[in-house]
Amino acid sequence: MEVFLQTLVAGILKGGLYGLIGIGMTLIMGVMGIINLAHGQLMMVGMYITFVCFHYLGIDPYFALLVSMPALFLLGVAIQKYTLNPLIEVESILPENQVLMTVGIGMVLTEVARFIFSSDYKSVQTSYSSSSFFIGEISFSLALTIAFFIAVAFTLFMFWFLLRTDLGRSIRATAQDKDAALLMGVNAQRITILTFGIGSALVAAAGTLLMPIYYLFPDIGGPFTRKAFVITILGGLGSTVGAIFGGLTLGLAEAFGATYIGMAFDDMIGLVIFILVLIFLPSGFKRITKV
Amino acid sequence: MKRFAPFLLLVILILFPLLVRDDYHQHLMILVLMWVVIGAGWNVIAGYTGQVSFGDAAFFGTGAYTAGLFATKLSISPWWAMAAGGVAAMAVAFPFGWICFRLRGAYFALATLALNEVMRHIATIWEDLTGGMVGILIIQTFVSKVPYYYIALALAVAAVIGVQAVMGSKWGYYFVSIREDQDAAESLGIDTHLYKMISLNIAAFLTGMAGSLYMNYMGFIDPEVVFSLHDISIMAILVGIVGGVGTVYGPVVGAFIMVAVHEFFRTGFFGFFKGLAALTGSQAITTLAKYVMQAHVLGFGILVVVVILVLPNGIVGDWKKITGWLPLGGGRRSAA
Amino acid sequence: MMRKLRKITFILFLVGILGVFLASGALAEGIKVGIILPLTGKLAKFGEIEKKSFDLAFEEINAAGGVNGKRIDPIIEDTTGKPDVGRSAIEKLIARDKVVMVGGGYSSSVTWATIAVAQQRKVPFLVNTGSADKITEQGWEYIFRLNPPVSEYPKGFASFLQNVATDVKTVAILHENTLFGQSGSKKFKKQCEKSLGLDVIMKEGYEAGAVDFKPLLVKVKSKKPDLVYMVSYIMDAAMLIRQSKELNLNPKLFVGGAAGFTLPEFQKSTGAAGEYIFSATLWTPSVPYPGAKRYFDKFVARYGTPTEYHGAEAYAAAYVIADALKRAKSLTPRAVRDALAETDMMTVFGPVKFISYGKKTQQNRLPTFLVQWLNGKLETVWPKEVSTAKYVYPFPKWNER
Amino acid sequence: MRFFEVKNLVKYFGGLAAVNDVSFEVKEGEIFGLIGPNGSGKTTIFNLISNFHSPTSGSVLFKGRDITGLKTHRICKARIARTFQVVKPLGRMTVLDNVVAAAFSRAKTKHEARDLAMETLEFCGLAHRKDMLAKSLPIGERKRLEITRAMATLPELLLLDETAAGLNPSELVEAIDLIRKIREKGVTIIIVEHIMKVIMTISDRIHAINFGRTIAEGTPGEVANHPAVIEAYLGEAYARG
């Protein structure tokens, strides 16, 4: 029982963070209809910013959110404006050239990080990095629990933003039907730029929250990109609630898989679920939740 | 002139090992030829049929492991496994395509990416069969590079001619129709699912053969090497798009350029910076040389970004655009 | 007219580039030794440490008069961590630079691809890091290996189990799914069951880089092993220990199987949680070899970052190379090979002598040590004769500290 | 045996019925018009016949054979060809290659396919454009390419979806001529059209639908004067006005 509950807790806490990673991706995917294969790399950049803040400026990771999120917002805006949007006008045989472009951007970000910080492992050791508290026999990592609640707060904020603000509504409209949104006077270019910025800022938040418990090196982006698209497909494209479900599902699947099948299957479980969902539930949990 | 260019190229390639006898350049050419095969495969499924694959390493690795396992488990010469490697890769491609071709565009691309990773995990975890990360090791058949060179050349020539033949046939028309508009293709009586499967299997077969060649030539594989997303799958895409998407000779140009660029960066522009540093004795240039040499992946990344922005159809596809830029091509431009 | 001018400038530019290439060919003449390392890509971190160590060693050797008055010119080639590129590198070294011997060799896959070329071209290759057992099991006369193969890493720990931790009965083995983890753990499992009489109740691999090891550790906790043996690299090692603390997982012994648990980053990222953790190791600055500590200090003074066992391997290899070149009857690959075969010297990495045993040939055999983190310092605790501090056993429980 | 028949066709999208219990019969050799206001379900009926969407219920019969749920490409093989309202040229292929790709569904060799394609191009009056890329054709000729491609599959039944929309008056005349020429070849045609003038002049019989339901069927004259049809179109006119 203890094993089961501990696994459940581990899965849910991790799932919260995954959800935050997934929301950014799902917004980008919904609005632009492309898969951002540089998502994990953007997170990596956010993590390096957190690291620099902590290590050189002595800023606690939770306050570093105030630096990493705006910085990544600007980076996302720049990427969308100068590399992805111009592609709409480029005549190319492959319709996936925007996706390929994100691959290139991911490589550039990784290598620039390596240039600046070398391949060394970096970590942020705070006083709470390895603290935990117990409820009964079950251990809760302090940093992960805080991260979970901040992630939930961001998610709720995103809901409010998407449902209650004009900009949020425009983003949702564009995600649902680009042509209709254009007719209604939405400036699609501006929306894609802002969405990429917001998506980047959200994944930066996830990176920053992960920093106290995890570590950092330039190649860390790849696995998280993979997780991000798994979460997004699980959740259904463009669906914010779906992204949370997707994140939790992946978190739980990984945790239970690791406990009851084997830790070596950790990554594979996510990928297999991903392929199964692609095939049997093409619109992800969106179909079930309808949000 | 243009019509004879391929024959001229072929003659040069046949004579190459007789003219250039050093192993270093022969080795680089073998790599180029191997990438021609992989690039040709990628070009069939992605360039011609429009189903972008991010998972070529799944087929490459399967081919390589087939050859390796033939040698270590069955004691059959891994050369026999050249064809078997292709077939084994098809055996992976077949069920995968059957299931995943209901996905379109970017979703199919993601599924291939997932396949790539799943195959790598399987090769890593299934230690009893594959040896896990310990990898598979065989003793190479030949000491000289020349036999490998000609085998690779034969394979590359067969791949290019084969692709050309396929593309001139009904299949070719069907592949391109699917790329251009799947619904229209379907309405014209094209079984798009079937022909996407055929296309994927051609790609898998070629890539698997290249994998077997790699095993034979390198003598050692492990899951990280042959199922590498970065070094195989992404490289295959680069060969495809840099050379020219949907062109017969694109992969040839792409493979040559990618291997050359890689080596160019690795050796600091073939020793250019080292030479410059030695000539001038400048510490700054020595430092610069170090950075340049470290920047090869960055160079690749920038290359991807620039190629997609400026030459979205690759060097062969956008050849006219390029000749317009070069000062040497000025004569023709003045006519316009 | 303008166009013609542009054309001429363009051609002049090309000629200029060609000129520099030609100039670069005619560089200084010393004894050329090729070194093959991953300087870019994922493995760059360790390749860089090795390169710095090689540089340090060769500078010292050259400053001390080089080899019989001649300088050693190391030509360091980047493999980017890929076998095919490694092969390009060694082909270039042999065919174009005409080196008398080759050193380096980091990951096993690249090492294998390169030594095969060296053997075929009859150029001696001194491997100093590639640890797959098979590398020296081919009977290849041009291949030498300085470092012990991966299967021998837990050797030193076994005697500790037999002599001190005799109440350990059950073992859980966790390992990363890499060459290092898979073969190291397999070998240790066999050793536990065959010669130590221990019960391996769990052996599980994981993909390096996991975010959360708790599901794995909670399983370990529920099985209550006496010994948790982990073959992990630095950051996974740190995560495993930190999360064990979070879960209050208390075996009698936490032991790392070399690699990650001995490095400064491990201590930095575990902090107090790293205390009392044991690890098998080949080398630390505190090993009882002459010059080990001095090498460490020199490295830190020169580069400002600490070094570790990969660096020591490279540093030692440079001295072995210099020694062989000194003793070689002529500067031909054949003569250098013969000189290498007769090596018998002491280095910062331990005694070096290439012997044959079991299936292996021309393999250096080294003892391994058991170290423990005590008061934030890595102390050698076993074998007793060379220990720098007394071990703490059993492991103090997390919640009782 | 009836030539072509649609029986009780129903299609729901989500909770909405796009086509609701539509039945009609087409005789061999006739031009059969299908009319209705925007969004009344005409194109959906075509999509159901060619199985781009599968019907919720109902059936499609062709020469006595139930072809409901047959894969799209098999429908084409069964000699029912269609065009698209929003043209779908194979953009980066030449006009000739567009038609060759279609002709392969009948031809055994490449040679045969080329001959068939050239013949069809001549017939449809697009031969002078054969080496142009399809994407660089003007809209009128793109529509013509749609028809040419469909004809190269040698259909017995041709479904034309809004072929006349967006054409200028002279193109319109040419289009009507072409449709008549096709019929003279013995091909039966079902035509969906929004422009009343066109459909009234060329159709033998007309079937009118609104909100996915049949509202009238008969000769052009009968349908044009049917009160339900007038109401449907008037309603639309008001809504637009």
Side-chain angles (χ1 to χ4, degrees):
Chain A
M1 196 58 195
E2 187 201 336
V3 172
F4 177 83
L5 284 178
Q6 186 68 58
T7 309
L8 186 72
V9 167
I12 291 175
L13 290 183
K14 194 160 70 161
L17 265 183
Y18 281 179
L20 194 53
I21 297 172
I23 294 176
M25 181 96 154
T26 202
L27 279 179
I28 294 170
M29 224 187 234
V31 169
M32 277 168 293
I34 67 158
I35 292 142
N36 174 20
L37 289 183
H39 207 63
Q41 282 78 358
L42 287 167
M43 175 169 155
M44 179 268 301
V45 175
M47 290 169 88
Y48 269 110
I49 292 173
T50 314
F51 170 76
V52 169
C53 283
F54 180 81
H55 207 258
Y56 296 101
L57 308 172
I59 303 172
D60 187 89
Y62 297 121
F63 289 103
L65 281 175
L66 298 174
V67 184
S68 66
M69 290 182 70
L72 262 284
F73 177 80
L74 292 179
L75 180 63
V77 163
I79 287 174
Q80 179 68 28
K81 193 164 180 188
Y82 297 110
T83 62
L84 293 174
N85 271 345
L87 288 184
I88 297 168
E89 278 127 54
V90 170
E91 157 70 24
S92 155
I93 291 176
L94 295 178
E96 279 78 23
N97 63 348
Q98 285 190 329
V99 181
L100 292 175
M101 178 61 100
T102 62
V103 173
I105 291 167
M107 286 166 84
V108 171
L109 292 177
T110 306
E111 294 311 312
V112 168
R114 203 192 308 285
F115 239 79
I116 302 173
F117 298 99
S118 83
S119 299
D120 288 352
Y121 295 105
K122 312 278 184 201
S123 60
V124 162
Q125 286 311 308
T126 56
S127 51
Y128 46 81
S129 277
S130 58
S131 340
S132 56
F133 59 90
F134 285 81
I135 297 179
E137 277 289 286
I138 307 304
S139 143
F140 289 76
S141 153
L142 186 61
L144 206 51
T145 312
I146 295 174
F148 179 79
F149 283 108
I150 296 183
V152 169
F154 272 119
T155 311
L156 292 175
F157 173 78
M158 278 315 294
F159 266 114
W160 171 81
F161 170 77
L162 289 173
L163 293 171
R164 294 274 175 260
T165 65
D166 283 346
L167 182 60
R169 287 196 199 111
S170 305
I171 288 175
R172 279 200 307 146
T174 317
Q176 272 159 18
D177 190 337
K178 213 170 203 166
D179 299 330
L182 279 174
L183 283 174
M184 291 181 334
V186 172
N187 180 341
Q189 290 251 345
R190 191 172 142 257
I191 293 294
T192 55
I193 290 171
L194 286 174
T195 308
F196 208 99
I198 294 169
S200 307
L202 285 173
V203 80
T208 302
L209 292 173
L210 203 52
M211 232 11 234
I213 45 166
Y214 202 50
Y215 53 92
L216 176 58
F217 62 106
D219 296 295
I220 208 158
F224 283 97
T225 299
R226 254 170 275 147
K227 287 198 198 304
F229 75 67
V230 173
I231 295 163
T232 313
I233 298 284
L234 277 177
L237 308 165
S239 156
T240 323
V241 180
I244 297 160
F245 271 102
L248 283 176
T249 311
L250 183 64
L252 286 170
E254 280 185 3
F256 279 98
T259 305
Y260 294 103
I261 303 177
M263 187 87 181
F265 295 88
D266 200 34
D267 270 10
M268 217 157 96
I269 287 163
L271 292 165
V272 169
I273 292 182
F274 162 76
I275 292 182
L276 291 179
V277 166
L278 265 186
I279 294 158
F280 296 108
L281 205 63
S283 47
F285 292 124
K286 203 169 159 188
R287 181 177 277 186
I288 301 163
T289 60
K290 301 245 162 117
V291 183
Chain B
M1 177 57 209
K2 218 173 176 181
R3 281 190 57 180
F4 293 109
F7 296 101
L8 195 65
L9 182 68
L10 185 60
V11 171
I12 293 172
L13 286 174
I14 289 173
L15 294 178
F16 179 83
L18 307 176
L19 300 173
V20 180
R21 308 201 66 124
D22 87 71
D23 291 317
Y24 171 56
H25 288 101
Q26 287 181 2
H27 166 73
L28 290 181
M29 279 309 290
I30 294 171
L31 290 186
V32 169
L33 294 169
M34 185 187 88
W35 280 108
V36 170
V37 180
I38 301 171
W42 184 84
N43 208 22
V44 169
I45 182 67
Y48 285 117
T49 320
Q51 311 298 312
V52 174
S53 158
F54 277 89
D56 265 29
F59 309 132
F60 184 82
T62 305
Y65 266 94
T66 307
L69 293 175
F70 261 49
T72 53
K73 300 272 165 184
L74 306 173
S75 305
I76 298 172
S77 159
W79 290 107
W80 289 110
M82 287 283 273
V87 173
M90 282 165 74
V92 172
F94 197 84
F96 172 76
W98 193 262
I99 297 166
C100 291
F101 267 132
R102 68 177 77 190
L103 305 169
R104 287 194 183 187
Y107 299 107
F108 175 74
L110 282 189
T112 59
L113 209 160
L115 175 72
N116 188 155
E117 293 302 297
V118 168
M119 292 301 291
R120 186 172 64 78
H121 282 296
I122 290 174
T124 308
I125 296 168
W126 198 353
E127 283 181 65
D128 296 336
L129 180 71
T130 63
M133 283 299 292
V134 175
I136 292 180
L137 180 153
I138 60 170
I139 305 296
Q140 288 105 323
T141 326
F142 307 109
V143 175
S144 162
K145 294 263 177 304
V146 178
Y148 293 105
Y149 178 87
Y150 281 115
I151 292 164
L153 180 63
L155 199 57
V157 170
V160 171
I161 291 177
V163 169
Q164 195 164 21
V166 164
M167 292 317 296
S169 73
K170 170 171 153 180
W171 286 4
Y173 280 88
Y174 279 13
F175 292 169
V176 179
S177 303
I178 292 168
R179 177 187 80 194
E180 291 298 312
D181 194 310
Q182 197 174 320
D183 289 338
E186 187 76 18
S187 81
L188 297 177
I190 300 173
D191 185 345
T192 52
H193 192 263
L194 173 70
Y195 285 94
K196 284 198 272 187
M197 287 290 290
I198 292 175
S199 175
L200 181 69
N201 279 285
I202 292 173
F205 184 74
L206 289 175
T207 316
M209 295 258 279
S212 302
L213 175 70
Y214 184 90
M215 173 83 251
N216 274 300
Y217 177 56
M218 298 302 294
F220 183 91
I221 52 168
D222 69 32
E224 299 254 301
V225 170
V226 292
F227 286 112
S228 165
L229 181 64
H230 253 267
D231 301 338
I232 308 293
S233 296
I234 304 268
M235 179 81 169
I237 297 174
L238 289 176
V239 167
I241 60 173
V242 169
V245 177
T247 57
V248 172
Y249 293 101
V252 180
V253 176
F256 188 83
I257 289 182
M258 288 317 290
V259 172
V261 165
H262 192 278
E263 194 61 11
F264 193 61
F265 271 105
R266 190 186 71 79
T267 56
F269 294 5
F270 298 129
F272 176 76
F273 279 97
K274 264 188 196 156
L276 205 64
L279 279 181
T280 57
S282 154
Q283 192 59 41
I285 293 177
T286 315
T287 319
L288 182 68
K290 199 181 124 201
Y291 281 122
V292 167
M293 286 167 74
Q294 285 181 2
H296 76 271
V297 189
L298 180 61
F300 273 17
I302 294 173
L303 193 69
V304 179
V305 172
V306 170
V307 164
I308 294 174
L309 271 176
V310 184
L311 299 172
N313 298 320
I315 289 170
V316 175
D318 284 327
W319 182 244
K320 284 202 180 112
K321 234 181 186 174
I322 299 170
T323 52
W325 296 333
L326 283 184
L328 288 177
R332 212 180 312 163
R333 202 170 46 168
S334 62
Chain C
M1 189 55 215
M2 257 321 271
R3 186 159 293 130
K4 211 168 191 180
L5 207 66
R6 271 178 67 190
K7 214 182 243 186
I8 291 171
T9 358
F10 186 66
I11 291 168
L12 277 180
F13 175 67
L14 291 179
V15 171
I17 288 179
L18 209 72
V20 178
F21 279 139
L22 292 177
S24 70
L27 279 179
E29 276 302 315
I31 303 172
K32 286 184 183 166
V33 173
I35 305 290
I36 287 181
L37 291 172
L39 299 177
T40 56
K42 273 189 191 164
L43 306 172
K45 176 183 158 56
F46 310 105
E48 196 61 32
I49 291 177
E50 293 207 8
K51 178 179 181 292
K52 284 172 176 166
S53 300
F54 270 118
D55 282 343
L56 193 66
F58 283 123
E59 276 167 31
E60 285 168 18
I61 293 163
N62 285 335
V67 172
N68 308 329
K70 270 187 164 172
R71 285 176 53 83
I72 297 180
D73 268 340
I75 302 173
I76 299 181
E77 287 281 330
D78 179 15
T79 65
T80 73
K82 293 190 254 173
D84 50 333
V85 182
R87 193 143 175 194
S88 308
I90 194 165
E91 301 280 11
K92 174 180 168 288
L93 286 172
I94 296 173
R96 292 212 359 210
D97 300 322
K98 309 227 170 347
V99 296
V100 292
M101 69 168 292
V102 184
Y106 183 83
S107 60
S108 294
S109 55
V110 179
T111 305
W112 176 260
T114 50
I115 60 169
V117 177
Q119 171 66 19
Q120 284 165 355
R121 303 266 170 265
K122 301 202 184 321
V123 175
F125 194 135
L126 175 61
V127 177
N128 62 30
T129 305
S131 53
D133 281 75
K134 282 182 173 174
I135 285 173
T136 42
E137 285 175 0
Q138 308 301 323
W140 285 351
E141 53 171 342
Y142 280 87
I143 310 306
F144 300 83
R145 178 155 61 184
L146 181 78
N147 59 301
V150 59
S151 64
E152 291 177 18
Y153 280 49
K155 220 166 51 181
F157 173 51
S159 83
F160 181 79
L161 280 177
Q162 282 163 329
N163 294 306
V164 181
T166 45
D167 53 343
V168 167
K169 293 281 173 273
T170 52
V171 186
I173 304 173
L174 311 179
H175 62 90
E176 56 177 23
N177 269 331
T178 58
L179 166 74
F180 204 76
Q182 286 185 337
S183 34
S185 60
K186 217 185 265 172
K187 191 81 187 177
F188 186 69
K189 179 168 187 256
K190 217 171 171 187
Q191 200 176 4
C192 284
E193 286 166 347
K194 292 258 167 69
S195 53
L196 298 173
L198 302 179
D199 188 11
V200 178
I201 48 176
M202 183 178 163
K203 173 175 174 292
E204 195 160 322
Y206 62 85
E207 181 87 353
V211 182
D212 194 358
F213 288 97
K214 286 213 191 95
L216 182 61
L217 291 171
V218 81
K219 218 176 352 175
V220 174
K221 194 179 174 186
S222 71
K223 298 209 163 137
K224 299 192 171 49
D226 296 329
L227 162 65
V228 177
Y229 185 83
M230 294 163 282
V231 189
S232 310
Y233 216 74
I234 318 174
M235 286 321 204
D236 290 326
M239 301 274 292
L240 278 166
I241 294 304
R242 270 158 49 184
Q243 297 188 353
S244 297
K245 179 182 169 225
E246 283 175 27
L247 284 177
N248 200 21
L249 167 63
N250 290 309
K252 291 191 179 113
L253 258 177
F254 265 116
V255 180
F261 293 84
T262 60
L263 303 184
E265 283 100 330
F266 173 78
Q267 210 267 329
K268 239 199 288 183
S269 70
T270 48
E275 273 302 282
Y276 309 117
I277 304 296
F278 286 89
S279 177
T281 193
L282 299 174
W283 190 87
T284 73
S286 65
V287 292
Y289 300 133
K293 183 79 178 108
R294 204 168 57 232
Y295 154 69
F296 183 82
D297 293 339
K298 269 191 283 194
F299 190 98
V300 174
R302 169 82 179 270
Y303 300 109
T305 54
T307 178
E308 32 87 285
Y309 76 96
H310 293 107
E313 286 170 347
Y315 188 81
Y319 275 94
V320 173
I321 290 170
D323 176 69
L325 291 175
K326 263 180 217 163
R327 287 183 289 104
K329 294 203 178 68
S330 66
L331 288 176
T332 58
R334 178 77 220 180
V336 174
R337 188 220 86 88
D338 293 342
L340 265 174
E342 275 151 28
T343 301
D344 187 0
M345 66 184 291
M346 194 63 187
T347 67
V348 295
F349 198 66
V352 176
K353 190 173 184 185
F354 300 107
I355 55 169
S356 301
Y357 61 91
K359 277 191 261 173
K360 297 189 176 60
T361 55
Q362 304 189 151
Q363 168 71 52
N364 189 26
R365 204 169 189 183
L366 285 169
T368 59
F369 305 95
L370 192 66
V371 290
Q372 190 175 24
W373 287 100
L374 294 167
N375 299 320
K377 272 171 67 192
L378 194 61
E379 304 282 3
T380 308
V381 293
W382 198 263
K384 220 180 207 159
E385 313 83 65
V386 298
S387 64
T388 54
K390 175 101 172 83
Y391 52 81
V392 175
Y393 175 84
F395 184 77
K397 292 197 163 91
W398 297 108
N399 48 357
E400 290 166 13
R401 291 194 192 172
Chain D
M1 186 185 71
R2 283 165 176 165
F3 181 69
F4 180 79
E5 191 179 12
V6 164
K7 266 199 211 155
N8 309 100
L9 219 48
V10 177
K11 177 68 186 176
Y12 278 91
F13 286 117
L16 295 168
V19 175
N20 201 346
D21 198 20
V22 171
S23 306
F24 57 80
E25 187 201 329
V26 180
K27 296 194 187 79
E28 189 160 7
E30 74 175 345
I31 297 182
F32 185 84
L34 195 58
I35 64 166
N38 270 338
S40 56
K42 296 163 296 183
T43 299
T44 309
I45 291 176
F46 272 18
N47 283 341
L48 293 178
I49 295 172
S50 56
N51 199 24
F52 272 93
H53 305 307
S54 47
T56 310
S57 66
S59 55
V60 182
L61 298 149
F62 183 55
K63 293 199 290 187
R65 176 179 164 210
D66 188 352
I67 60 164
T68 326
L70 222 53
K71 287 227 175 76
T72 303
H73 61 93
R74 294 212 176 276
I75 305 262
C76 174
K77 295 268 186 202
R79 296 193 187 263
I80 298 177
R82 72 168 291 185
T83 68
F84 292 92
Q85 179 183 4
V86 179
V87 289
K88 293 178 183 290
L90 306 173
R92 276 170 293 247
M93 291 165 81
T94 62
V95 168
L96 176 62
D97 286 350
N98 263 266
V99 186
V100 171
F104 267 122
S105 64
R106 299 293 163 217
K108 283 205 183 61
T109 65
K110 196 177 167 187
H111 194 74
E112 270 179 53
R114 274 183 78 96
D115 287 350
L116 175 56
M118 274 315 293
E119 207 176 286
T120 319
L121 279 168
E122 303 269 353
F123 176 78
C124 296
L126 211 55
H128 61 295
R129 295 290 198 209
K130 72 179 168 67
D131 294 323
M132 255 175 97
L133 286 184
K135 64 177 177 183
S136 46
L137 287 178
I139 180 69
E141 287 181 331
R142 282 196 212 182
K143 294 240 168 187
R144 188 164 286 239
L145 176 60
E146 287 273 314
I147 300 175
T148 315
R149 240 173 25 190
M151 285 302 291
T153 65
L154 302 180
E156 290 172 24
L157 175 66
L158 179 61
L159 313 178
L160 296 175
D161 196 351
E162 305 242 357
T163 307
L167 299 185
N168 65 35
S170 71
E171 284 171 340
L172 209 55
V173 174
E174 286 172 26
I176 292 171
D177 282 350
L178 179 59
I179 293 167
R180 290 210 166 110
K181 231 168 89 186
I182 291 170
R183 192 252 292 266
E184 277 157 29
K185 243 188 149 180
V187 179
T188 310
I189 295 171
I190 304 179
I191 180 166
V192 159
E193 196 51 81
H194 203 69
I195 304 173
M196 289 302 247
K197 202 177 78 191
V198 176
I199 206 149
M200 291 299 167
T201 39
I202 58 173
S203 305
D204 299 315
R205 283 188 310 128
I206 290 178
H207 187 95
I209 56 173
N210 196 15
F211 299 117
R213 283 180 183 279
T214 301
I215 52 175
E217 192 184 296
T219 62
E222 288 164 16
V223 171
N225 296 318
H226 195 286
V229 176
I230 293 169
E231 193 192 328
Y233 275 85
L234 274 180
E236 195 187 31
Y238 280 128
R240 272 205 210 142

